[in-house]
Amino acid sequence: MAIDLAARLAPGLAERRQRHLYRSRRVIDGAQDVELQCDGKPLLSFCSNDYLGLANHPALIQAMQQGAQRYGVGSGSSHLISGHSQPHHALEEALAEFTQRPRALLFSSGYMANLGVISALAAKQDTVHEDRINHASLIDAARLSESTLRRYPHNDVDVLAKRLNKQDDGHPFIVTDGVFSMDGDIAPLQQIATVATQHAATLMVDDAHGIGVIGKNGRGSVEQCQLSLHDVPILVGTLGKAFGTFGAFVTGSDELIETLIQHARSYIYTTALPPAVAHATLTSLKLIETEHWRREQLQTLVKRFRKGAEQLGLNIMPSTTPIQPLLVGSSDEALRISEQLQQRGILISAIRPPTIPAGTARLRITFSANHSEQHIDRLLAALESVIKHDAA
Ligand SMILES: *Cc1c(COP(=O)(O)O)cnc(C)c1O
């Protein structure tokens, strides 16, 4: 007799809970911002990806309302049928100009952009070389394509070069996060680009956490590392992080974009994002381009935090970006610290395997331009009390 589904699933859930790996969600009451309401209690949040503090910006809210008035709510269909509307098109043109590249193509999320790009471009005989700690969507994308996935040790350009030396028939791709989502460090893109050129490999950079945040003009890790379209022919950015809205884009040559329109299945077979979201994103792009103070504020916060954390002897990871992980080690310890911080009114989630390698559970602390220096001091004081309490 067939056992029912719930009975089959229960032991796996129990085991996950027992290993302190169980995930559960918090319900946030109001708007996304650094000061949140959760279960009726105020929390100071250090875990969103709303780096520039735009998710709840009045100008974006207004643009979203105006977009809904003009274009309605749903896009009605995929881009290739009747869902590609004027604000989508205008946003693609604006994103191409912003990134100083010929074309841009909107996707409904970053996850889907990565799936679409890699599965459309990498053929069966090809090899996709990925950094070991690349975002899950990049790993999944290579698995979805029929190509061979090879993961090189984190940022290890020498190993990457050696593997490329042994290339066989297919075309080699190199795929890396620009800013690593769980570590906050920046890939050595200049060296990787050099290796890519030497081996005629195609470099793809997923700059979900860099675009809008780093580089003098917010053009991301590619700007920071002074790389051209020739060096990085495929650049992916997301709109749900620094842009404060939703969706993602790929930028590159006209030929790249046209190929994706023809072949990227996660582009073709899905509903276009709501046009009002594209309309609102045009406003966030303007703020990203004009309000340099947001990036400067982030740098101020990072410096203040790192100085304070070093004085407290906290085990922070080497990062210059607004992702400042505090390495803890065990999952139960990370959970306990996260819970104690929450009791003190501070929200930071514990990041545990399999999101990150076993034994490297951490608190992923992130900053927003809406944080003040006083917020950082509150965070440091809370960390001090929780970690001291620990040692006692
Ligand atoms: C968040 C993230 C994605 C996924 O983007 P979504 O728009 O949230 O689907 C892809 N790559 C990286 C590196 C990310 O951090």
Side-chain angles (χ1 to χ4, degrees):
M1 199 171 108
I3 69 168
D4 80 33
L5 179 64
R8 275 183 57 197
L9 297 179
L13 291 171
E15 195 219 321
R16 197 170 169 91
R17 200 185 286 279
Q18 199 236 329
R19 293 169 62 206
H20 306 286
L21 297 178
Y22 202 85
R23 265 71 165 165
S24 48
R25 302 167 302 167
R26 291 181 184 84
V27 180
I28 304 300
D29 304 330
Q32 183 59 234
D33 215 323
V34 297
E35 305 203 49
L36 292 176
Q37 287 283 330
C38 181
D39 277 338
K41 277 196 292 186
L43 286 175
L44 180 59
S45 164
F46 289 97
C47 52
S48 98
N49 299 315
D50 178 26
Y51 301 114
L52 298 179
L54 297 180
N56 188 32
H57 191 288
L60 264 74
I61 296 170
Q62 201 191 1
M64 186 88 163
Q65 287 168 335
Q66 190 190 55
Q69 286 289 348
R70 279 193 208 163
Y71 308 105
V73 175
S75 66
S77 77
S78 68
H79 284 277
L80 292 188
I81 306 297
S82 65
H84 185 67
S85 63
Q86 193 271 333
H88 294 124
H89 207 73
L91 179 59
E92 288 181 346
E93 286 174 350
L95 288 168
E97 198 178 315
F98 173 59
T99 55
Q100 303 179 313
R101 298 157 75 88
R103 293 276 304 272
L105 186 70
L106 283 178
F107 278 75
S108 295
S109 75
Y111 195 109
M112 293 170 74
N114 287 337
L115 289 193
V117 170
I118 296 179
S119 62
L121 300 182
K124 191 164 188 160
Q125 67 278 13
D126 298 339
T127 302
V128 179
H129 298 269
E130 297 208 20
D131 191 290
R132 180 161 291 286
I133 67 165
N134 269 356
H135 191 261
S137 58
L138 293 168
I139 305 293
D140 294 354
R143 288 186 177 144
L144 180 66
S145 77
E146 289 182 64
S147 59
T148 303
L149 167 64
R150 293 209 67 187
R151 299 169 76 174
Y152 56 89
H154 181 46
N155 285 341
D156 196 331
V157 184
D158 293 336
V159 168
L160 174 63
K162 275 196 200 109
R163 291 189 182 168
L164 285 161
N165 276 330
K166 285 187 229 140
Q167 258 317 302
D168 29 34
D169 317 340
H171 183 74
F173 290 84
I174 304 170
V175 179
T176 181
D177 283 17
V179 173
F180 287 90
S181 54
M182 295 299 138
D183 290 39
D185 58 334
I186 303 171
L189 290 180
Q190 281 195 346
Q191 295 166 48
I192 295 176
T194 303
V195 166
T197 305
Q198 284 164 354
H199 295 86
T202 301
L203 175 56
M204 166 173 172
V205 174
D206 173 357
D207 211 21
H209 299 274
I211 201 94
V213 179
I214 63 172
K216 189 166 167 289
N217 299 291
R219 294 191 195 111
S221 53
V222 165
E223 179 182 20
Q224 180 130 324
C225 299
Q226 299 176 300
L227 296 175
S228 66
L229 172 70
H230 176 77
D231 299 313
V232 182
I234 310 169
L235 176 65
V236 177
T238 55
L239 304 174
K241 291 167 180 154
F243 278 77
T245 62
F246 191 76
F249 61 96
V250 180
T251 61
S253 64
D254 189 47
E255 291 79 0
L256 170 69
I257 300 307
E258 288 301 319
T259 300
L260 295 177
I261 293 172
Q262 311 309 314
H263 298 293
R265 293 168 67 85
S266 63
Y267 181 77
I268 301 167
Y269 299 107
T270 199
T271 302
L273 46 94
V277 171
H279 186 72
T281 307
L282 281 162
T283 298
S284 49
L285 181 56
K286 281 204 192 83
L287 294 175
I288 287 172
E289 288 176 314
T290 53
E291 298 195 344
H292 291 270
W293 68 263
R294 293 179 188 275
R295 282 180 287 283
E296 286 155 16
Q297 172 71 357
L298 283 170
Q299 280 311 312
T300 303
L301 299 171
V302 167
K303 280 200 196 95
R304 191 177 185 100
F305 172 74
R306 291 192 69 85
K307 192 165 164 230
E310 271 155 26
Q311 281 166 357
L312 295 176
L314 300 177
N315 197 5
I316 47 173
M317 296 174 67
S319 159
T320 56
T321 70
I323 302 170
Q324 291 289 325
L326 182 65
L327 199 59
V328 176
S330 75
S331 295
D332 55 335
E333 183 66 359
L335 268 186
R336 205 185 52 72
I337 295 177
S338 169
E339 277 158 19
Q340 292 199 351
L341 286 172
Q342 187 160 347
Q343 284 161 17
R344 287 165 172 77
I346 293 200
L347 181 64
I348 303 174
S349 57
I351 305 288
R352 291 161 285 160
T355 306
I356 37 91
T360 70
R362 66 198 68 176
L363 299 175
R364 179 176 179 270
I365 299 167
T366 55
F367 299 131
S368 156
N370 282 351
H371 282 124
S372 65
E373 295 188 59
Q374 289 71 33
H375 287 149
I376 301 295
D377 296 345
R378 252 184 81 189
L379 167 65
L380 287 165
L383 286 171
E384 183 180 21
S385 71
V386 168
I387 308 253
K388 265 198 177 148
H389 184 76
D390 240 34

